[in-house]
Amino acid sequence: MGVLLMTAVGALTIGGPPADDDAVAAHVGVPVASAHAAEPRHAVEPLRIAGPPAGPLDATRYRPAEPARPERPALCAADQRRTEPHDLPSQCSYSAVGVFLRPGGKKSCTAGVVDSRHGDLLVTAAHCLPLDGASFAPGYHDGTAPHGEWPVLAALPDPRFVEAQKGADNWPYDWAFVRVARVGGRSVQEAVGAALRVPARPERLPADLSRVTLIGYPHDKPGQHTCTVDSQPAYTDFRQAQCAGFSSGVSGSPWVISAQEGEGIVVGVLGGAERGGGLTDDVSYTARFDAGLSSLFATAQGAGPQDSLLAP
């Protein structure tokens, strides 16, 4: 693989203004990463993947997203708070979470929009790469992309995942940031009006996390599938959660904890041990974020957007 260009990732909210850092720190026990964070701690060489076709983007497919609605129906808030595994109706989908669509429209992995300097970054599982020719469809449901499609430009996996190449050796580093193009002059973050916050020191997160919400796109479901459970340590470097219905297609699904109503902090992505799944669809895993995630985040943000590759 060649070398890739990326922009940086930060943290955002799900449906609402950015969370107050003090409130986040009080909930998680660590500060959240600034969207204008520091230089990377060590050099990381990104991997290049194929971007969208040369020339103007197809406005029919890569259309700008509709502005996010400022308020969601009360029923949606109740639906999202339900703890048992369930499918979300289209109007209640988390706008910051979406699915990758391969050429031809086939659903692939799940990803979440994260708050970043340029508003164009997603977080997903490294084993979902490469994403050649793919686009990201936030809030996708039953063949419809209510917030448009956003062409993938580049992806940046943790270098330790790449060095291990394959097998269980790379499972503990199964995360990546993905950069998508602007469409209609706007970033995906601006368009969906929501995103996930990233903890600045994820290595300080406790092994046990209560009330973690998983949000993913199983291939056998029309849209987002979610549940909220307590997670427990698994093996040495992972967390596990017992949620029914997380079958094929949910790799990269964000694991989110709430600092306060409407805000979310991403504390994992479905992947890692056994590529995210146990022997049944009821057990899911995430690799435990460490300081390498913060370094990768800083590297991703520091590159800046390549305007020549973005839609007018």
Side-chain angles (χ1 to χ4, degrees):
M1 294 175 122
V3 209
L4 114 98
L5 254 178
M6 282 220 47
T7 87
V9 180
L12 262 213
T13 56
I14 293 186
D20 176 76
D21 282 358
D22 292 336
V24 175
H27 182 91
V28 203
V30 296
V32 281
S34 166
H36 305 286
E39 296 300 319
R41 297 174 188 166
H42 55 77
V44 179
E45 182 178 346
L47 305 179
R48 180 172 296 283
I49 62 174
L57 296 176
D58 181 351
T60 303
R61 180 180 179 192
Y62 301 124
R63 61 180 177 82
E66 298 295 328
R69 288 181 296 175
E71 295 183 3
R72 302 168 79 77
L75 287 177
C76 284
D79 204 346
Q80 291 179 352
R81 282 196 296 266
R82 288 168 52 198
T83 58
E84 72 275 11
H86 62 284
D87 298 337
L88 287 173
S90 177
Q91 68 272 21
C92 297
S93 297
Y94 289 97
S95 61
V97 180
V99 67
F100 290 113
L101 300 178
R102 301 283 182 172
K106 182 179 179 181
K107 290 193 296 184
S108 186
C109 290
T110 303
V113 180
V114 290
D115 183 24
S116 62
R117 178 178 295 141
H118 301 292
D120 55 2
L121 290 177
L122 320 172
V123 66
T124 191
H127 77 257
C128 290
L129 309 181
L131 292 165
D132 305 63
S135 62
F136 174 68
Y140 183 90
H141 194 282
D142 202 20
T144 301
H147 302 289
E149 294 183 32
W150 304 79
V152 170
L153 294 180
L156 186 67
D158 190 288
R160 295 167 295 180
F161 183 92
V162 178
E163 290 163 5
Q165 292 299 318
K166 59 184 178 180
D169 288 346
N170 63 17
W171 285 350
Y173 318 110
D174 193 4
W175 55 72
F177 291 115
V178 174
R179 179 173 160 243
V180 295
R182 291 176 180 267
V183 176
R186 291 201 296 170
S187 70
V188 64
Q189 181 174 322
E190 291 174 314
V192 301
L196 302 172
R197 298 179 69 85
V198 177
R201 294 182 176 85
E203 68 277 9
R204 297 188 181 181
L205 290 169
D208 295 310
L209 291 174
S210 61
R211 296 192 64 80
V212 177
T213 298
L214 283 63
I215 311 159
Y217 279 88
H219 285 166
D220 59 352
K221 305 289 186 182
Q224 293 177 1
H225 186 73
T226 185
C227 75
T228 301
V229 296
D230 294 344
S231 70
Q232 297 85 34
Y235 303 110
T236 302
D237 302 304
F238 309 95
R239 292 188 179 91
Q240 73 173 26
Q242 293 190 336
C243 292
F246 278 82
S247 56
S248 175
V250 295
S251 292
S253 299
W255 293 35
V256 180
I257 60 175
S258 296
Q260 59 187 46
E261 189 67 26
E263 296 174 351
I265 305 160
V266 61
V267 294
V269 290
L270 201 147
E274 303 181 45
R275 299 187 77 179
L279 299 177
T280 72
D281 292 342
D282 294 351
V283 179
S284 297
Y285 297 95
T286 177
R288 288 178 60 179
F289 289 167
D290 63 14
L293 179 87
S294 303
S295 179
L296 193 71
F297 172 82
T299 300
Q301 289 208 112
Q306 292 291 302
D307 293 336
S308 62
L309 297 178
L310 304 181

